[in-house]
Structures are given as structure tokens and as C-alpha cells.
Amino acid sequence: MRTDLEPLTKRFSALGGPVSATWMSGTMGDARVPGPSTYWLDAIVELAPMRARDLRRDFTPKPTQATPDVAAALRPSLPGGSLLTSEALNQALTEGRFACTAYLTAASDVVVLVALGE
């Protein structure tokens, strides 16, 4: 479990300057098998209020019934209430080698990221 921000803001610049984060990452598959690794990163990020407002305005996320599929250790920290998502929001947070699914809370400044990359 990590709380440092720099690795997140380096990979996901659209987060701006987040207030705080709790996140985990790792590799998928068997490390004994040769070949490129697929990395996963799950994060619960408290955004600056203006950044959360801008993401809602610019990428028009809609309510979803989906629950972010994050690592078990992060599940107790998932925000309560309604979540919003959209393909435009996902694309805004996808950067470099990481493809991202983003869930923005409707009533607070928290975004949940579920990302895969090489």
C-alpha cells in the first residue's frame, strides 16, 4: 500500500496536483515466464476540488452501477455514493503505456483509477 503522489502524477498528469492517494501496483502473470510484463495499478485519489470540477465539466461522466475492480486491500477504502465514468474521462487519464478506467465520485473530489500497462 502506497501513499506517495509523484509516481501517480508522473504516469497520470491529468490528475493535476492531487491532495492525497492510496494506491497499489504490481505485475500480472508468472514472473518465471519470459516476455514483457503487464503492470497493474489501482489508486484512490483525492483531487484538488477545482481539478475534480474540471474533469466533470470537460469529460461529462455519467452515473454507473459498476464497482471498480481494485486490489482487495484497497476495497475498504473505495468511496461510497454514486460513481461517474465515461470513455472521454478514461481517455483523459490514459497516458503513456497505461490504459485507464476512471471512476469519479459524484459528490466528492475522489477518483478511482484502474490501470493496466506495459
Side-chain angles (χ1 to χ4, degrees):
M1 189 84 66
R2 297 179 64 173
T3 58
D4 49 327
L5 298 175
E6 190 270 334
L8 293 176
T9 57
K10 179 179 168 185
R11 288 172 179 83
F12 308 103
S13 62
L15 293 174
V19 174
S20 65
T22 303
W23 62 282
M24 299 178 72
S25 66
T27 57
M28 299 181 80
D30 187 339
R32 297 172 294 180
V33 176
S37 294
T38 299
Y39 298 92
W40 60 269
L41 189 148
D42 296 340
I44 301 170
V45 182
E46 182 182 354
L47 301 171
M50 296 295 280
R51 186 63 193 137
R53 184 207 64 196
D54 291 347
L55 291 176
R56 283 187 198 92
R57 182 195 65 214
D58 296 344
F59 304 108
T60 58
K62 304 290 183 218
T64 182
Q65 297 300 315
T67 300
D69 186 18
V70 298
L74 285 175
R75 289 183 193 139
S77 299
L78 283 171
S82 298
L83 295 175
L84 311 170
T85 193
S86 70
E87 189 56 36
L89 180 63
N90 295 342
Q91 290 303 313
L93 287 158
T94 292
E95 192 169 320
R97 296 179 172 203
F98 277 92
C100 187
T101 303
Y103 302 87
L104 188 60
T105 56
S108 69
D109 300 323
V110 174
V111 65
V112 178
L113 303 179
V114 178
L116 291 175
E118 288 186 5

